[in-house]
C-alpha cells in the first residue's frame, strides 16, 4: 500500500487549500478513504471519511461546513478541499485507507503526510 499526499503549504487564516492523495498497491475502489491530521504536541485526529463509491461522507465537528472530502476512483485519487482555514487547522495531514469504516485512527494505513500551516 502506498499513499502519497500533496497540496499542503502555508496560508493565512481565512484562506483555502486543496490536498490531494494518490493511492497504489491496493484496490482503491474497495476501500474507505480518510483524512486525519496531527498538530504539534497533539494526538492524531480524524478529519473526514468517504465511502467506496463516494456515496457516504463524514466530518469531524471541527471542520464540518469548511472542508469537503471527495474521491476520483478512475484516478485512485482522494481530495480534501479546505476553506475558511483557521490557525487550529495547522497540522500534518495524512491520507489514510481502511477496508471498513469506523476504524480507530491510529490503526489506519497512512501516507507520509503533507504540512498545512495557517497563520493568523
Amino acid at each position: 500500500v502506498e499513499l502519497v499526499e500533496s497540496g499542503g503549504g502555508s496560508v493565512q487564516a481565512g484562506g483555502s487549500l486543496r490536498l490531494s492523495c494518490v493511492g497504489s498497491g491496493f484496490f482503491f475502489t474497495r476501500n474507505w478513504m480518510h483524512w486525519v491530521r496531527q498538530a504539534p504536541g497533539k494526538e492524531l485526529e480524524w478529519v473526514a471519511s468517504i465511502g467506496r463509491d463516494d456515496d457516504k461522507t463524514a466530518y469531524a465537528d471541527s471542520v464540518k461546513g469548511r472542508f469537503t472530502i471527495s474521491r476520483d476512483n478512475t484516478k485512485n485519487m482522494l481530495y480534501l478541499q479546505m476553506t475558511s482555514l483557521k490557525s487550529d487547522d495547522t497540522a500534518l495531514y495524512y491520507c489514510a485507507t481502511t477496508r471498513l469504516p469506523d476504524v480507530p485512527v491510529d490503526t489506519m494505513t497512512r501516507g507520509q503526510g503533507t504540512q498545512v500551516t495557517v497563520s493568523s
Side-chain angles (χ1 to χ4, degrees), residues 38-53:
Q38 189 164 27
K42 295 188 176 181
E43 293 185 352
L44 203 58
E45 176 190 18
W46 169 73
V47 174
S49 297
I50 188 165
R52 298 179 182 94
D53 298 316

Side-chain angles (χ1 to χ4, degrees), residues 84-116:
S84 302
L85 283 161
K86 307 174 182 179
S87 56
D88 287 348
D89 295 318
T90 294
L92 188 59
Y93 282 73
Y94 298 95
C95 169
T97 186
T98 60
R99 289 300 310 274
L100 299 173
D102 300 325
V103 171
V105 290
D106 57 353
T107 67
M108 294 180 180
T109 300
R110 306 194 305 266
Q112 294 299 307
T114 185
Q115 179 67 39
V116 172

Side-chain angles (χ1 to χ4, degrees), residues 17-63:
L17 280 174
R18 188 194 194 207
L19 306 183
S20 300
C21 169
V22 58
S24 61
F26 65 104
F27 288 104
F28 189 85
T29 58
R30 294 183 185 178
N31 278 27
W32 282 72
M33 298 299 297
H34 318 269
W35 288 99
V36 300
R37 66 187 182 185
Q38 189 164 27
K42 295 188 176 181
E43 293 185 352
L44 203 58
E45 176 190 18
W46 169 73
V47 174
S49 297
I50 188 165
R52 298 179 182 94
D53 298 316
D54 200 5
D55 56 342
K56 295 181 176 67
T57 58
Y59 298 90
D61 287 342
S62 58
V63 307

